[in-house]
Amino acid sequence: MRKDDLTIGLLLIIAVALVAIAVQPILTPRAAAAQSTIYPFYIEPGSELLRTPDGTTQVYGKVVVDMRTGKIWGFPTLAPQSYPSSGLQNKPPTSRPFELGRFAFEDTNK
């Protein structure tokens, strides 16, 4: 009889602990958080016709905002698609950015 009481007592403790573990996320859920990246960029969907600030060049590309500094960059894609491509090369091209402007994020704290 003593072994049965001990077994029942231990199983009761295990059952209570499992219920406590299962109920805790329901009573106090954790806040959802997005994963941070090394480079906090906002990439505008789609492609745009980009113009250099001096007005000498126009090219299709992606608009990217550096959320740390507010700088706006243009990454040429050479076509209205979302990624750089060239039908003349066998290897994937690398798109080098040029600065389009800057958002003054620091002025929003005034």
Side-chain angles (χ1 to χ4, degrees), residues 35-41 66 68:
Q35 294 178 341
S36 63
T37 58
I38 296 173
Y39 302 107
F41 288 145
D66 185 347
R68 295 169 298 175

Side-chain angles (χ1 to χ4, degrees), residues 16-32:
V16 169
L18 286 174
V19 168
I21 290 171
V23 170
Q24 182 186 11
I26 295 170
L27 297 177
T28 56
R30 283 192 245 167

Side-chain angles (χ1 to χ4, degrees), residues 24-96:
Q24 182 186 11
I26 295 170
L27 297 177
T28 56
R30 283 192 245 167
Q35 294 178 341
S36 63
T37 58
I38 296 173
Y39 302 107
F41 288 145
Y42 172 73
I43 301 174
E44 184 75 26
S47 295
E48 302 286 332
L49 186 60
L50 306 175
R51 190 179 67 203
T52 57
D54 61 2
T56 58
T57 307
Q58 288 186 349
V59 65
Y60 280 106
K62 298 288 284 185
V63 176
V64 178
V65 179
D66 185 347
M67 300 303 286
R68 295 169 298 175
T69 62
K71 288 185 177 181
I72 307 163
W73 297 94
F75 284 84
T77 59
L78 306 176
Q81 54 204 29
S82 297
Y83 56 91
S85 67
S86 173
L88 304 176
Q89 299 176 356
N90 291 337
K91 61 181 183 172
T94 301
S95 180
R96 304 278 180 212

